[in-house]
């Protein structure tokens, strides 16, 4: 029987899932030109698959416009059919960016960063996940034995990422039983978020082809180590000259980098649902979890909202970067990076000074001083975070009423599907879908 290769045109939705529609690969140029129809309510599918509520109901039409630069082919050889997908922008039928499209929202922020400040964002996502193909016995944190047990999964993954142009950097056994981490090289602008979407799907695909699962749930059980997504970022000018480092600047940050970072910290509590997007994300965002519980800046502390990363003695200052740690893979990568860009722009517009870094436990900073410094415990649940986001005039200005309203509605729908479930039952639902 004849078989035809199929290309899936995909979008990353508000629930952090990648969904799409397929067509014969031989027809792909046609669909790049004319797009693929989509109902706006598709974005409102919750992480768990059900549509609970939608501002658009069954009405309206959009176009998914494939960006050929994002095309990925995962060739599994004889192990599994090859997989092909391409990422899309969402436009209205007349071709304008749709007001509620995550990728277009990130691009608009990046365009403003470049248009108004001559700056480009250079960033990379680090992903942690659990792989079912190893024994879950303890004692294997970062262990060679853990690497050994996964067999050829990671070599296949590195090969697939390489073939897809995602430029893999490191793979490693992580701290948790069955936990691994994969990183890729930084990229400019929207390409970095594209890589995050691609990398998660390629990782899932390579695991599936081995009859296993790569799971990106923010946590795997109460009290267990989380799967973080950490975003390293720096600024460049239009010629690619690094603009983040200044030996004489506060904590060696240039003035624009300081302002960008200050904007992120000032608004972190308000945009948090865009970066820690699931109910169980907040199980991870706690003190002593090596994640982030405060909107603090620190130098080389892995429990900070923003961590100034070290530069090896003699290393090029071009590598100077800051890491955002309050995020996980329940977040749509375009919304996650978009939140950092729009908040950074706010800092640049107000020319905010570099925040004072914390040294040690941020909860130990006396309350009066914390208030003076704007140091805050991050919201402790998705529901609390959504209330803050909805009430935030700045986030409303960045996103617009329709987009913000739809996102908050989607996340509240997700929460309604968890009503009455205890933490372990909630985790089980996210483990199933992520
Ligand atoms: N697993 C930790 C997290 O949830 C991060 C550990 C690390 O610093 O690599 O973010
Ligand atoms: Mg890690």
């Amino acid at each position: 029987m004849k078989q035809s290769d199929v290309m899936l045109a995909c979008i990353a939705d508000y629930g952090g899932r990648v969904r799409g529609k397929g067509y014969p690969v031989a027809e792909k140029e046609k669909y790049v030109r004319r797009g693929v129809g989509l109902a706006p309510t598709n974005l409102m599918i919750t992480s768990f698959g059900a549509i609970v509520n939608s501002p658009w109901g069954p009405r309206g039409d959009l176009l998914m416009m494939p960006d050929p630069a994002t095309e990925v082919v995962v060739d599994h050889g004889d192990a599994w059919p090859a997989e092909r997908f391409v990422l899309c922008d969402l436009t209205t039928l007349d071709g304008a960016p749709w007001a509620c499209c995550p990728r277009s929202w990130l691009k608009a922020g990046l365009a403003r960063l470049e248009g108004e400040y001559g700056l480009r964002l250079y960033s990379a996502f680090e992903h942690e996940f659990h792989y079912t193909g190893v024994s879950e016995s303890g004692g294997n944190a970062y262990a060679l034995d853990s690497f050994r047990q996964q067999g050829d999964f990671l070599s296949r993954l590195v090969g697939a990422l390489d073939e897809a142009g995602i430029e893999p950097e490191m793979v490693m056994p992580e701290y948790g039983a069955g936990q691994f981490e994969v990183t890729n090289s930084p990229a400019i602008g929207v390409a970095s978020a594209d890589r995050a979407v691609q990398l998660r799907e390629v990782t899932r695909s390579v695991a599936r082809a081995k009859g296993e699962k790569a799971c990106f749930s923010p946590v795997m059980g109460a009290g267990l180590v989380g799967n973080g997504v950490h975003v390293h970022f720096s600024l460049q000018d239009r010629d690619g000259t690094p603009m983040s480092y200044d030996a004489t600047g506060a904590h060696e940050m240039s003035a624009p980098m300081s302002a960008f970072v200050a904007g992120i910290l000032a608004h972190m509590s308000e945009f948090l649902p865009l970066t820690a997007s699931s109910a169980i994300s907040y199980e991870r965002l706690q003190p002593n979890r090596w994640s982030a519980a405060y909107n603090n800046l620190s130098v080389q502390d892995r429990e900070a909202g923003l961590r100034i990363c070290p530069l090896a003695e003699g290393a090029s200052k071009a590598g100077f970067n800051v890491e955002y740690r309050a995020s996980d893979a329940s977040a749509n990568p375009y919304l996650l990076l978009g939140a950092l860009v729009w908040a950074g722009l706010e800092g640049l517009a107000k020319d905010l000074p570099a925040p004072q870094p914390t040294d040690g436990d941020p909860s130990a900073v006396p309350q009066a001083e914390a208030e003076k410094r704007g140091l805050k415990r991050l919201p402790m649940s998705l529901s609390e975070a959504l209330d803050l986001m909805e009430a935030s005039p700045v986030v409303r200005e960045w996103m617009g009423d329709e987009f913000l309203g739809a996102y908050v509605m989607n996340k509240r729908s997700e929460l309604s599907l968890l009503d009455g479930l205890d933490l372990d039952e909630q985790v089980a639902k996210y483990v199933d879908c992520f």
Side-chain angles (χ1 to χ4, degrees), residues 126-128 142 172 174-175 179-181 228 230 325:
E126 295 177 346
H127 283 91
E128 294 171 341
Y142 304 105
M172 67 195 89
E174 248 287 352
Y175 180 73
Q179 190 181 34
F180 292 88
E181 173 166 329
H230 308 147
R325 294 181 64 88

Side-chain angles (χ1 to χ4, degrees), residues 24-366:
V25 170
E27 302 280 311
K28 69 178 185 181
E29 266 85 37
K30 182 173 95 190
Y31 289 101
V32 166
R33 268 196 320 275
R34 61 154 90 140
V36 178
L38 192 79
T41 288
N42 273 49
L43 272 285
M44 298 299 289
I45 303 173
T46 57
S47 314
F48 312 127
I51 300 168
V52 177
N53 235 328
S54 164
W56 309 291
R59 295 171 304 279
D61 268 296
L62 301 169
L63 289 173
M64 295 197 279
M65 299 302 298
D67 178 346
T70 66
E71 196 177 302
V72 167
V73 180
V74 193
D75 183 356
H76 295 294
D78 294 335
W80 192 265
E83 180 173 320
R84 295 173 177 78
F85 65 91
V86 64
L87 305 177
C88 301
D89 285 320
L90 286 163
T91 71
T92 57
L93 295 183
D94 55 12
W98 184 43
C100 308
C101 167
R103 192 167 186 262
S104 305
W105 183 64
L106 167 61
K107 283 171 146 183
L110 292 165
R112 184 174 290 192
L113 184 64
E114 186 163 340
E116 288 181 20
Y117 301 97
L119 294 170
R120 291 180 177 168
L121 192 76
Y122 188 54
S123 69
F125 291 56
E126 295 177 346
H127 283 91
E128 294 171 341
F129 63 96
H130 278 70
Y131 177 58
T132 55
V134 296
S135 80
E136 302 240 328
S137 63
N140 255 348
Y142 304 105
L144 176 58
D145 187 50
S146 176
F147 188 83
R148 187 175 296 131
Q149 280 187 39
Q150 56 73 38
D152 64 358
F153 166 66
L154 290 176
S155 332
R156 282 174 183 248
L157 175 57
V158 171
L161 293 172
D162 192 27
E163 265 176 8
I166 302 171
E167 298 188 312
E169 268 192 346
M170 298 202 66
V171 279
M172 67 195 89
E174 248 287 352
Y175 180 73
Q179 190 181 34
F180 292 88
E181 173 166 329
V182 55
T183 68
N184 58 262
S185 302
I188 289 287
V190 72
S192 175
D194 288 333
R195 284 184 173 185
V197 179
Q198 293 164 333
L199 177 140
R200 292 174 196 177
E201 295 309 314
V202 170
T203 308
R204 289 178 170 121
S205 180
V206 174
R208 284 275 187 233
K210 291 187 63 67
E212 301 290 347
K213 180 169 173 172
C215 178
F216 290 81
S217 173
V219 291
M220 302 297 286
L224 296 178
V225 67
N227 284 320
V229 169
H230 308 147
V231 183
H232 290 257
F233 63 90
S234 61
L235 300 169
Q236 294 189 354
D237 71 8
R238 289 189 180 98
D239 302 324
T241 307
M243 298 296 287
S244 302
Y245 182 82
D246 181 346
T248 63
H251 329 297
E252 303 186 309
M253 290 189 292
S254 67
M257 188 64 164
S258 298
F260 195 87
V261 156
I264 292 174
L265 294 179
H267 298 293
M268 197 166 161
S269 301
E270 295 155 90
F271 68 64
L272 199 61
L274 299 175
T275 75
S277 308
S278 70
I280 60 170
S281 298
Y282 295 78
E283 173 67 12
R284 179 179 159 263
L285 296 183
Q286 293 193 37
N288 309 317
R289 303 290 300 263
W290 287 48
S291 60
Y294 284 79
N295 65 336
N296 59 324
L297 176 70
S298 80
V299 181
Q300 300 172 25
D301 177 348
R302 287 180 180 74
E303 286 213 2
L306 284 180
R307 165 177 172 258
I308 301 176
C309 300
L311 270 183
E313 198 53 40
S316 158
K317 306 300 183 210
F320 184 73
N321 70 88
V322 172
E323 177 187 33
Y324 179 81
R325 294 181 64 88
S327 39
D328 61 58
S330 64
N332 174 311
Y334 303 112
L335 297 179
L336 161 49
L337 206 58
L340 303 186
V341 171
W342 283 98
L345 281 167
E346 202 72 37
L348 285 164
K350 296 191 181 120
D351 204 12
L352 295 179
Q356 183 185 337
T358 50
D359 184 16
D361 183 359
S363 69
V365 177

